[in-house]
Amino acid sequence: EIVLTQSPGTLSLSPGERATLSCRASQSVSSNYLAWYQQKPGQAPRLLIYGASSRATGIPDRFSGSGSGTDFTLTISRLEPEDFAVYYCQQYVSSPWTFGQGTKVEIK
Amino acid sequence: EVQLVESGGGLIQPGGSLRLSCAASGFTVSSNYMSWVRQAPGKGLEWVSVVYSGGSTYFADSVKGRFTISRDTSKNTLYLQMNSLRAEDTALYYCARGINWNFVGAFDVWGQGTMVTVSS
């Protein structure tokens, strides 16, 4: 099973700042098979990025994904008030598909 | 409008069975890659199972042998049959659609979830 470790656990930032979230895999993950999701309280997750760097439909361009192999990054260039949420990475290169434990982006 | 609506959750005793349903609209379940993902209260996301458009199915080790996934073409509905339920199966269960054949595990459409509580 591929274990995904996200860091930091919590990121305290102000609106307008840049957020950099990390996702490290225990084994190499082909970049086609890495996704990022945003989840707000009481809501289902929302797909942000798939294939490590492709934005899903309707996702603002302030969200970007990068990385390869075992190290991946989600960057939010300028935080908007609606971006404060929990973010998960996920791999689907091999079963069982797994999620990271999440990074909470909170208002400082 | 593309939409998924889950139902069937509830309170069930350990060892019991439950069947979850996920009704789709705006697209065809049998032509897509459909998964179940769960989230225990206050915890992260856990993938549970997937059924490919061709019918192949896969399960997380934690549910293998106890859960089955299926679909009804006439009702455009996905199901999760859960047997031998345990307290650790308590979670909000989401159904979700994979984007396409190349990104089957990237879920672009999610339901609102149905809660399963396993307790005596």
Side-chain angles (χ1 to χ4, degrees):
Chain A
E1 172 176 323
I2 296 177
V3 176
L4 299 178
T5 302
Q6 293 186 240
S7 61
T10 302
L11 201 50
S12 298
L13 295 168
S14 301
E17 290 194 291
R18 181 184 187 90
T20 303
L21 286 67
S22 174
C23 176
R24 178 162 290 176
S26 60
Q27 304 170 40
S28 183
V29 175
S30 164
S31 59
N32 272 356
Y33 304 107
L34 194 287
W36 289 93
Y37 299 85
Q38 175 194 69
Q39 188 177 34
K40 297 179 182 179
Q43 295 184 18
R46 177 174 72 145
L47 179 67
L48 300 174
I49 302 288
Y50 63 95
S53 60
S54 297
R55 269 188 301 276
T57 301
I59 302 303
D61 60 8
R62 64 180 181 274
F63 291 92
S64 63
S66 62
S68 63
T70 61
D71 290 293
F72 297 88
T73 301
L74 174 70
T75 302
I76 310 171
S77 58
R78 285 178 55 86
L79 283 165
E80 297 288 340
E82 62 267 28
D83 298 337
F84 292 91
V86 178
Y87 293 83
Y88 295 95
C89 59
Q90 178 220 0
Q91 67 80 20
Y92 45 97
V93 67
S94 65
S95 181
W97 299 342
T98 51
F99 290 87
Q101 82 280 14
T103 290
K104 181 179 182 179
V105 179
E106 65 176 22
I107 299 176
K108 187 174 182 180
Chain B
E1 181 190 5
V2 172
Q3 193 175 8
L4 293 168
V5 178
E6 302 95 335
S7 61
L11 175 62
I12 187 76
Q13 291 189 339
S17 297
L18 210 55
R19 188 179 80 160
L20 306 183
S21 300
C22 171
S25 56
F27 71 98
T28 303
V29 164
S30 60
S31 299
N32 283 269
Y33 302 84
M34 301 297 299
S35 282
W36 289 95
V37 176
R38 68 185 180 183
Q39 188 168 34
K43 303 297 184 182
L45 301 168
E46 180 187 16
W47 171 76
V48 173
S49 180
V50 62
V51 56
Y52 281 33
S53 58
S56 299
T57 61
Y58 300 90
F59 298 89
D61 289 345
S62 58
V63 306
K64 201 172 294 182
R66 301 188 298 122
F67 290 13
T68 57
I69 188 171
S70 62
R71 57 199 181 188
D72 185 325
T73 303
S74 65
K75 295 182 179 179
N76 205 28
T77 297
L78 177 73
Y79 300 101
L80 184 69
Q81 177 67 43
M82 305 185 296
N83 299 329
S84 303
L85 282 162
R86 306 166 180 167
E88 54 265 36
D89 296 317
T90 294
L92 185 63
Y93 284 74
Y94 295 102
C95 62
R97 183 185 77 172
I99 283 184
N100 59 37
W101 64 272
N102 198 31
F103 302 103
V104 299
F107 308 127
D108 65 337
V109 180
W110 294 69
Q112 84 290 349
T114 187
M115 186 68 200
V116 173
T117 302
V118 184
S119 174
S120 55

